[in-house]
Amino acid sequence: MKYLVMLCDGMADEPYVDLQNKTPMELANKPCMDKLAKVSELGMVKTVDDSMSPGSDVANLAVLGYDAKKYYSGRSPLEAASIGIDLKDTDVTFRCNLVTLSDEENYEDKTILDYCADDISTEEARVLIEYVQENMGTEEFTFYSGVSYRHCLVWANGNAKPGKLTPPHDITGREIKDYLPTDVAKEKLLPLMKRSFELLKDHPVNLERIARGKRPANSIWLWGEGTKPLLDSFEYLYNLKGSMVSAVDLLKGIAICAKMTSVDVEGATGYIDTNFEGKASAAIDEFKRGQDLVYVHVEAPDECGHRAECQNKVRAIELIDERVLAPVVEYLEGAGEDFAVLVCPDHPTPLITRTHSRNPVPYMIYRSNKSVEGADTFTEETAKKSGILITEGYTLMSHFIG
């Protein structure tokens, strides 16, 4: 039996006025998903416990079959694993976003204009983070470059509970004064954020970006603290050899910590311009080389939700269906083995709020050797109408592999 997980990050949504009061899933032309839906199990699954923040870290751990209440030690340590940082037990890590802030004189009076600095390229970002490390790195604080706007800070012998830190994608367009670090983080981390603005605002990379009509990456933003993760291996838990295909360090890091194979795809960006065909080819190659389960993660719907790009979110779902799901299913149909497909988001990212929700998400399970009565289309509403609700999200994986 082969297993495909098609994880459409942030795909679930709510009816939106600019989409004819429909959700992106309802409006998208997705013939492969809808064909499977007719003979698949549809239902809802709660991937984020009410006691936890609705991040892609917690939610993807749940879909992979890990109880976050047992295994979760923070977001940034998982990303650190992907970057290749050898963490000590006494290290505390932080996600270090490159963001665009407005230009008021006082740091506290600034507004977050963009949590990703116009999706800054990895090459440009690396120059900026290396410059930050050169000027601000110490034995206590070390900065590491990642992908696009997503980077990492390691605090040696740090405080694992530094105070309140806010994800920048939650406060786009807002003044930052009410969302700055508190408690220990105010003393230790806020000075780093403030100094980074002075270092980066006139950096040649940013001056060049401004000249090209791009937003500058003029400050770091620290959040997502955590300590060294300790995940049981996926194969140990489920007796399956698994592979991860994703553009983002978070998912790559989860795979590395779970001792899954993490596959790099050239041109995978985490946005709607990603190499969809490359992800499909990578998934097929993993099946060909004998892997039992392949988890294909596509970030694009989530990014579009954060930016309130309603038409792009619809298009992202269509591209996933056409260029990733359909060719991989076609390969599995011709491979001569029974197979199962799980399609779901990790969490909703509603266009109206532009941030994550911990509400249940729709899922669809197709089995090539077992036809069931499904629905004409795969949407939030058709999944709800099934009456199925899995309240402990991490149990979905056991249900899927049966």
Side-chain angles (χ1 to χ4, degrees):
M1 193 82 171
K2 298 294 185 183
Y3 300 93
L4 170 67
V5 178
M6 183 71 253
L7 197 291
C8 311
D9 201 302
M11 178 171 67
D13 214 303
E14 301 168 7
Y16 193 62
V17 63
D18 290 342
L19 294 178
Q20 307 161 39
N21 286 315
K22 295 183 178 180
T23 71
M25 288 182 71
E26 290 172 335
L27 204 58
N29 178 30
K30 49 187 197 319
C32 185
M33 289 187 201
D34 291 346
K35 179 182 176 181
L36 296 180
K38 292 175 173 58
V39 289
S40 294
E41 173 190 321
L42 271 60
M44 302 293 291
V45 56
K46 188 168 177 55
T47 56
V48 181
D49 186 80
D50 287 337
S51 65
M52 309 194 81
S53 297
S56 291
D57 44 13
V58 170
N60 276 279
L61 282 171
V63 178
L64 270 165
Y66 291 89
D67 181 357
K69 294 195 292 289
K70 175 181 178 182
Y71 288 102
Y72 183 63
S73 66
R75 177 190 184 108
S76 55
L78 298 167
E79 296 174 324
S82 174
I83 293 172
I85 303 170
D86 185 15
L87 294 176
K88 299 181 177 65
D89 291 341
T90 54
D91 287 338
V92 179
T93 59
F94 300 84
R95 160 71 83 83
C96 178
N97 273 47
L98 283 173
V99 302
T100 304
L101 299 182
S102 58
D103 59 2
E104 287 79 7
E105 183 176 354
N106 294 323
Y107 194 84
E108 291 82 359
D109 295 332
K110 298 180 187 298
T111 295
I112 285 197
L113 302 178
D114 193 343
Y115 69 91
C116 64
D118 264 347
D119 245 352
I120 186 170
S121 71
T122 298
E123 293 73 22
E124 291 172 306
R126 183 179 297 114
V127 173
L128 296 180
I129 292 297
E130 288 178 354
Y131 184 66
V132 167
Q133 169 61 20
E134 178 184 338
N135 286 274
M136 292 169 49
T138 63
E139 289 186 3
E140 187 176 20
F141 294 110
T142 308
F143 297 85
Y144 296 87
S145 63
V147 175
S148 185
Y149 62 89
R150 313 170 186 93
H151 309 280
C152 189
L153 169 67
V154 176
W155 180 5
N157 299 305
N159 190 318
K161 296 182 178 180
K164 184 178 180 181
L165 298 169
T166 302
H169 52 257
D170 283 357
I171 55 171
T172 300
R174 301 183 196 175
E175 291 186 0
I176 65 176
K177 62 178 63 174
D178 294 330
Y179 306 99
L180 293 172
T182 63
D183 303 329
V184 176
K186 181 178 180 179
E187 174 192 349
K188 286 287 194 176
L189 304 182
L190 183 56
L192 300 179
M193 293 165 62
K194 288 183 174 181
R195 189 175 174 210
S196 75
F197 183 84
E198 297 305 316
L199 287 171
L200 296 177
K201 62 184 176 67
D202 295 322
H203 191 281
V205 166
N206 280 324
L207 296 180
E208 183 181 335
R209 287 179 62 78
I210 292 169
R212 289 189 283 119
K214 295 286 189 179
R215 289 184 172 120
N218 57 18
S219 183
I220 63 171
W221 189 274
L222 302 173
W223 62 287
E225 70 276 8
T227 55
K228 185 176 181 178
L230 296 171
L231 297 184
D232 289 321
S233 82
F234 184 80
E235 185 174 1
Y236 169 78
L237 290 177
Y238 297 103
N239 198 31
L240 296 172
K241 296 182 183 297
S243 294
M244 173 70 71
V245 180
S246 177
V248 299
D249 282 329
L250 171 61
L251 274 295
K252 292 174 179 290
I254 290 175
I256 290 167
C257 292
K259 296 181 174 56
M260 300 171 70
T261 299
S262 178
V263 182
D264 293 325
V265 176
E266 185 175 355
T269 65
Y271 187 52
I272 197 169
D273 62 353
T274 196
N275 182 1
F276 292 97
E277 293 86 353
K279 289 194 170 188
S281 295
I284 291 169
D285 288 344
E286 290 303 291
F287 282 124
K288 284 181 177 178
R289 74 179 191 87
Q291 296 296 87
D292 303 305
L293 180 144
V294 180
Y295 192 103
V296 184
H297 171 266
V298 181
E299 177 83 355
D302 182 63
E303 292 287 349
C304 296
H306 285 309
R307 304 173 196 207
E309 296 176 355
C310 57
Q311 296 298 337
N312 276 346
K313 187 166 183 181
V314 172
R315 185 60 182 147
I317 296 168
E318 293 176 341
L319 290 169
I320 292 169
D321 186 82
E322 173 190 350
R323 300 186 185 180
V324 185
L325 183 62
V328 180
V329 169
E330 182 180 2
Y331 163 76
L332 290 169
E333 287 174 337
E337 274 188 89
D338 290 333
F339 68 95
V341 180
L342 167 62
V343 182
C344 68
D346 49 351
H347 52 67
T349 307
L351 291 158
I352 194 168
T353 62
R354 300 180 63 170
T355 191
H356 301 167
S357 160
R358 61 170 61 86
N359 291 337
V361 296
Y363 75 85
M364 174 174 68
I365 294 176
Y366 169 81
R367 304 185 192 281
S368 64
N369 59 355
K370 183 180 180 183
S371 177
V372 298
E373 184 177 351
D376 288 337
T377 183
F378 177 44
T379 68
E380 298 89 349
E381 192 60 31
T382 58
K384 288 176 187 174
K385 285 182 177 178
S386 72
I388 299 172
L389 173 61
I390 297 175
T391 57
E392 298 284 354
Y394 70 92
T395 65
L396 177 64
M397 179 58 69
S398 294
H399 176 62
F400 173 50
I401 64 180

